[in-house]
Amino acid sequence: MPERGRLGFLVRVRGYRERHWGLGIALILSVLLVWPFASAQAKVGFSSIVIDASTGVVLSEMNADVPNHPASLTKIMTLYLTFEALKESRVRLDSVLPVSEHAANQDPSKLGLNPGDAVTVENLILGVVTKSANDAAVTLAEGIGGSESAFADRMSKKARELGMNATGFRNASGLPNPNQVTTARDMSILAQAVFHDFPQYYHYFGTPRFAYEGQIFENHNKLLKTYSGADGIKTGFIRTSGFNLVASAERKGRRLIGVVMGSQSPNIRNAQMTHMLDASFSDQPIHYASLPGKPVPGSSIRATASAGKSKGSTTVAKAAGPDRGWGIQVGAYSRFAPAHLAAAKAERGASRWLGHGKVTVDAAHDDNTTVYRARVMGLTEDRARRACATLLAKKMECVAVASDGTIMSAEEGDTADQPER
């Protein structure tokens, strides 16, 4: 008779006390059998990326396209849509939003809001930034989107508009949902969009502490205290994601954005981010095998050359190889988000020739005006010309550009269907 059958037989023939004793043993055995599997399922892989915030140039990355759960990094998008509503005057910072029973019943972390409470938008923002309060995030979602589910749909739609093609949202808080996924690369895109699209609100992410109803809530992002130049943006953790962090820091006028996902602990995560940002600010390669916690290198490791100065723009990518100092430009915009979207659209429209390139947004400053140039860089001259020929045939704007500033329109003789030379 199988072991479980023998145990069940003994339970049936013995008395009340023995029956309960037997059931307790069975429960313990079942937990012991399931525990190794549950632990294995909870282990997640490390992924990271560091980008230049002005251009989107990738300075270094490791497993940046591997899916993971965003956890409370989700709240970056919740706040992006909140900032958008503020900018469009659909709400004000002093607007008061009601707290629903659904919002109040969110699992911790939370402010402890009660059904029927009325909280200002600004206090909800501060609660999300510092305490990572799930009740505050859901109150914002319901107040702006009508319901959390409708707001989550808008979050996913906005992700696609920003070029976060591997991201889907199911709630406003980041609480566990198997279908709520993202990547380190997509989180860097979102952080960059927040900084560029809402500079008047970005400062909230650097709030060190928040006083509400007699309580003081400290910001979970400890790099604000420990890393020189750090001013945001968000931490996150659920069991199935590991410890996540999106951080931004500025030194000597240069801003970097780093993302770490799937780390083993808050301290290791912070140490990893510190090492990555230090190396990137120093234009040094990141040696992933030497990172705190020693993440195992994956097959998708990629390192990109650091950025260098160029006349007329903030930064441009150095050539990734001796013959890859070219790219394409498909438009110039007054905001970062539409520029990034245009570059991503172009990459898809001429994927045959742009497969080895990198979507970038080059910020050019003239007097008091900033223009965001949508580009795909890191190409050979031949691929840049052929990509433009493909896009022009599809009635899309395109010029070939070199990293030294040379701009060259596609010639009549260029065709997209010729084999690459």
Side-chain angles (χ1 to χ4, degrees):
M1 180 182 298
E3 184 63 28
R4 185 171 295 178
R6 291 200 299 270
L7 181 57
F9 176 75
L10 290 173
V11 169
R12 287 194 297 272
V13 299
R14 291 177 179 171
Y16 178 86
R17 185 173 301 174
E18 290 176 320
R19 179 166 66 251
H20 282 72
W21 178 85
L23 288 173
I25 292 297
L27 178 60
I28 292 171
L29 287 173
S30 66
V31 169
L32 291 175
L33 287 171
V34 172
W35 177 255
F37 175 75
S39 298
Q41 292 293 97
K43 291 180 180 178
V44 294
F46 175 90
S47 61
S48 71
I49 191 169
V50 179
I51 68 170
D52 185 293
S54 295
T55 65
V57 170
V58 177
L59 305 180
S60 191
E61 64 184 84
M62 177 178 176
N63 301 328
D65 297 308
V66 173
N68 197 351
H69 301 297
S72 283
L73 301 187
T74 297
K75 296 182 176 79
I76 302 175
M77 180 60 85
T78 299
L79 292 179
Y80 184 99
L81 292 184
T82 299
F83 298 156
E84 188 174 71
L86 286 166
K87 185 175 182 179
E88 296 172 356
S89 300
R90 288 185 279 121
V91 294
R92 303 187 310 272
L93 287 172
D94 61 356
S95 296
V96 175
L97 301 183
V99 179
S100 70
E101 185 174 355
H102 171 64
N105 287 338
Q106 295 298 300
D107 290 333
S109 172
K110 56 185 183 178
L111 294 178
L113 304 178
N114 298 308
D117 285 352
V119 189
T120 65
V121 168
E122 185 169 39
N123 279 340
L124 293 169
I125 291 171
L126 290 168
V128 168
V129 165
T130 58
K131 179 64 174 175
S132 195
N134 297 323
D135 50 0
V138 174
T139 300
L140 284 171
E142 293 177 334
I144 295 171
S147 68
E148 186 179 15
S149 60
F151 189 82
D153 289 342
R154 293 174 64 177
M155 293 168 71
S156 293
K157 180 180 178 182
K158 181 59 66 175
R160 291 191 294 273
E161 290 176 2
L162 293 175
M164 300 167 62
N165 298 320
T167 297
F169 294 107
R170 295 297 182 270
N171 60 51
S173 64
L175 285 171
N177 185 301
N179 296 317
Q180 185 148 283
V181 295
T182 190
T183 64
R185 189 184 311 282
D186 279 6
M187 281 291 117
S188 73
I189 291 171
L190 177 57
Q192 188 182 24
V194 170
F195 179 76
H196 283 286
D197 293 348
F198 305 109
Q200 68 273 43
Y201 301 122
Y202 175 78
H203 68 89
Y204 281 111
F205 287 104
T207 305
R209 64 189 59 83
F210 168 51
Y212 182 76
E213 296 294 318
Q215 297 186 73
I216 303 295
F217 300 102
E218 298 286 338
N219 197 311
H220 291 175
N221 184 2
K222 303 308 179 186
L223 261 67
L224 295 174
K225 296 180 179 179
T226 63
Y227 193 81
S228 175
D231 57 12
I233 69 173
K234 192 74 188 70
T235 62
F237 169 78
I238 57 175
R239 186 183 178 198
T240 52
S241 73
F243 291 88
N244 302 337
L245 173 62
V246 178
S248 181
E250 184 177 11
R251 291 181 178 177
K252 298 180 179 179
R254 184 186 184 196
R255 176 174 294 276
L256 302 182
I257 293 171
V259 181
V260 166
M261 301 188 74
S263 194
Q264 302 100 310
S265 75
N267 289 338
I268 291 176
R269 173 193 64 192
N270 295 342
Q272 290 167 339
M273 182 65 75
T274 296
H275 182 97
M276 289 165 49
L277 291 178
D278 279 346
S280 298
F281 273 121
S282 300
D283 293 328
Q284 299 298 316
I286 297 173
H287 300 291
Y288 289 99
S290 300
L291 279 182
K294 292 183 173 58
V296 178
S299 59
S300 60
I301 293 177
R302 176 184 174 189
T304 304
S306 58
K309 296 293 182 181
S310 176
K311 182 178 179 181
S313 65
T314 305
T315 54
V316 295
K318 289 181 180 177
D323 196 28
R324 293 193 180 276
W326 283 80
I328 65 168
Q329 180 172 314
V330 292
Y333 300 81
S334 60
R335 294 175 63 201
F336 168 83
H340 191 280
L341 182 62
K345 181 179 179 181
E347 184 184 38
R348 294 191 298 271
S351 59
R352 178 181 178 184
W353 306 110
L354 300 179
H356 297 288
K358 184 65 184 176
V359 170
T360 69
V361 177
D362 185 18
H365 306 286
D366 183 12
D367 296 329
N368 294 323
T369 303
T370 300
V371 176
Y372 298 99
R373 300 184 293 203
R375 293 182 168 184
V376 181
M377 299 299 293
L379 307 172
T380 63
E381 180 182 356
D382 187 65
R383 279 183 172 267
R385 286 176 177 274
R386 294 176 189 278
C388 273
T390 299
L391 295 173
L392 290 170
K394 296 181 179 182
K395 309 301 182 184
M396 297 175 65
E397 178 183 348
C398 185
V399 293
V401 297
S403 58
D404 63 4
T406 302
I407 297 178
M408 189 176 300
S409 300
E411 299 176 358
E412 292 182 1
D414 291 335
T415 60
D417 55 359
Q418 293 177 352
E420 182 182 9
R421 292 193 295 268

